[in-house]
Amino acid sequence: MKDTAATVMERCDLLSNITEDAEGICRPYGSQSMREVNNIVSGWMRAAEMSVRQDSIGNLVGRYGGNGEKTLVLGSHLDTVRNAGKYDGILGVLLAVACVEELHAKNRKLPFAVEVVGFADEEGLRFGTTYLGSSVYAGDFDPARLALADRNETTLLRAVRDFGGDPEALVGGGRSGEDLIGYCEVHIEQGPVLEAMDLPVGVVTGIQGQSRIQAGFTGVAGHAGTVPMNGRRDALCAAAEFVLEVERAARAEPPAVATVGEIRALPGASNVIPAETRLAVDLRHPDDVSRVRLRDGLRRRAEDIAKERSCDNSWQVRQETAAIPMDERMTAKLAQAVERAGYPAHRLPSGAGHDAAQLAALTAPAMLFVRCKDGISHNPAESVTKGDVGVALDVLGHFVELLAEN
Ligand code: HGY
Ligand code: MN
Ligand code: MN
Ligand code: MN
């Protein structure tokens, strides 16, 4: 019997060499490496007798089974963060393809079609907003995002065109949900729980809400050698004080988590007092009311710090997603599939965001987590075992058969 789990691991290795950055894995939306990955994954889909298309934003959609049938959607995202690991997103897409390959190898025709989707942008690395791919697929795309610009001032509208997409078709370009049975996403846990419990897989109960904010401070550039310390309007010192404020506020509100993942300071010369800073703030909480309260408190703190330092400040909420529970019925089926594979179905929440949160706008979502070493992710040290990948594949096989039973 072909060792499909080994093939999935080899494919993760192969795709990890396709990147925009010689230093590490980096596949932002619309990049050449995303094109290459789409081409390679399309080939694997076609070899499993799937029809393949790329939708208006560049999601890769493979379909096993006839049109007009009910459809189960499987998948995850193909893009990555900067200096990423090999498995975040990719593993879920390749496990879904492998599940169809096994059905095809057994010449098994389910009473529904299986659609495998590789979403074009979930991390939001290039434009700072997450779920670009799955929001189009789920028919929930906000056209205001087309005006967002990347670091080179290229707008999303232009990037979609360059990637071969159709900006005019993004709104309402999603698929209808009528024919859908549900969506199941397999993803590495990106946390320590399954490893601590010595379990290969776990069933996700829900995805916490998140706010992605671009904050900024504007002061006055000056000569580092001549401007006295009193009276400086140093935009980087204002940003530094705000970063620690973000950490303090989140620590005071467990289980909130908040991160300033990036600071850009201009003009960026060692002997010039920074005049301008831009900060990427990421705020998460399982309870939306608490998250909004924390977000608004931080906005006020940014204003206060700017005033105390005679700076101006800016505050742009780039993206917000509410906390999303997984669908009870689909999750119960997934838990049953885990038990059929011979393991207890441990249920756990997701601190990380996933396309399943966006697909909830379209159909019933469920997620399976795969144990990852030391819970590390968004890091080249990200790793899973072939054994655990084999368990996840076995669970997916049981899952589709359970859905076929009724
Ligand atoms: O940021 C996240 O939660 C996910 O990796 N997109
Ligand atoms: Mn990620
Ligand atoms: Mn991910
Ligand atoms: Mn089995």
Side-chain angles (χ1 to χ4, degrees):
M1 173 82 170
K2 196 161 124 337
D3 185 346
T4 313
T7 303
V8 170
M9 299 294 280
E10 285 153 19
R11 289 173 174 176
C12 287
D13 284 344
L14 187 144
L15 297 185
S16 69
N17 298 311
I18 301 171
T19 172
E20 294 300 301
D21 178 352
E23 302 305 307
I25 300 173
C26 177
R27 273 202 299 277
Y29 174 73
S31 58
Q32 181 51 33
S33 47
M34 280 298 287
R35 277 180 217 280
E36 281 177 46
V37 165
N38 275 14
N39 286 338
I40 293 170
V41 178
S42 314
W44 292 328
M45 288 177 165
R46 287 195 184 91
E49 300 252 309
M50 297 168 92
S51 60
V52 183
R53 66 185 175 89
Q54 196 162 298
D55 75 4
S56 53
I57 194 160
N59 296 319
L60 186 62
V61 184
R63 186 173 174 83
Y64 180 72
N67 291 322
E69 291 179 280
K70 282 281 183 195
T71 306
L72 170 69
V73 183
L74 303 175
S76 191
H77 58 97
L78 288 170
D79 67 310
T80 72
V81 292
R82 188 166 287 116
N83 206 22
K86 283 183 189 172
Y87 304 102
D88 177 359
I90 308 286
L91 179 66
V93 180
L94 296 182
L95 272 167
V97 172
C99 176
V100 171
E101 282 172 336
E102 292 203 329
L103 293 170
H104 176 241
K106 292 182 290 194
N107 202 19
R108 172 77 171 103
K109 289 312 264 176
L110 296 168
F112 49 80
V114 177
E115 203 158 276
V116 175
V117 189
F119 293 108
D121 178 284
E122 185 272 349
E123 299 289 4
L125 174 60
R126 184 171 172 188
F127 292 98
T129 69
T130 186
Y131 306 145
L132 278 182
S134 43
S135 64
V136 170
Y137 185 84
D140 191 25
F141 178 75
D142 173 2
R145 288 176 173 179
L146 286 168
L148 288 172
D150 67 10
R151 292 168 158 205
N152 305 319
E153 296 309 314
T154 303
T155 60
L156 174 59
L157 183 136
R158 176 68 200 273
V160 170
R161 280 215 181 94
D162 292 349
F163 198 41
D166 175 5
E168 278 65 55
L170 295 178
V171 178
R175 69 175 338 282
S176 87
E178 272 115 64
D179 68 315
L180 295 187
I181 297 171
Y183 172 72
C184 183
E185 178 167 359
V186 183
H187 199 287
I188 52 171
E189 180 201 340
Q190 301 176 301
V193 173
L194 293 176
E195 190 173 56
M197 299 184 73
D198 193 21
L199 290 173
V201 295
V203 176
V204 176
T205 53
I207 298 173
Q208 69 177 342
Q210 56 174 286
S211 299
R212 293 196 179 193
I213 299 144
Q214 178 175 283
F217 294 92
T218 307
V220 173
H223 194 298
T226 59
V227 179
M229 288 311 287
N230 286 342
R232 286 189 173 196
R233 298 170 64 182
D234 183 327
L236 187 50
C237 287
E241 184 175 351
F242 180 66
V243 169
L244 292 178
E245 189 55 30
V246 168
E247 182 189 48
R248 185 204 59 74
R251 281 198 168 140
E253 281 262 356
V257 284
T259 315
V260 177
E262 180 189 13
I263 290 189
R264 277 177 282 149
L266 300 170
S270 66
N271 59 350
V272 179
I273 300 168
E276 199 178 337
T277 46
R278 286 277 172 278
L279 300 83
V281 183
D282 180 311
L283 181 56
R284 318 251 180 139
H285 199 295
D287 171 67
D288 291 332
V289 172
S290 307
R291 174 172 52 81
V292 168
R293 180 165 33 77
L294 199 57
R295 177 202 69 194
D296 293 345
L298 284 172
R299 180 174 46 74
R300 284 191 293 276
R301 282 299 296 133
E303 288 161 359
D304 294 347
I305 289 169
K307 223 174 270 141
E308 286 150 22
R309 292 174 170 273
S310 309
C311 288
D312 294 319
N313 82 294
S314 60
W315 184 265
Q316 184 196 22
V317 177
R318 303 274 286 210
Q319 157 91 40
E320 287 205 302
T321 316
I324 301 278
M326 293 295 101
D327 175 77
E328 280 291 316
R329 182 183 164 277
M330 288 293 277
T331 301
K333 287 276 182 208
L334 189 57
Q336 208 183 340
V338 171
E339 284 153 5
R340 280 204 181 170
Y343 295 91
H346 178 70
R347 291 167 188 248
L348 69 167
S350 176
H354 299 287
D355 290 304
Q358 190 65 60
L359 268 280
L362 184 69
T363 187
M367 279 196 80
L368 183 75
F369 271 169
V370 181
R371 167 171 49 187
C372 62
K373 192 167 171 346
D374 302 332
I376 291 179
S377 181
H378 287 187
N379 180 319
E382 199 175 86
S383 88
V384 293
T385 66
K386 181 172 80 83
D388 288 354
V389 167
V391 171
L393 189 59
D394 190 26
V395 170
L396 265 188
H398 287 295
F399 180 65
V400 296
E401 291 300 344
L402 278 163
L403 290 175
E405 283 166 22
N406 67 351

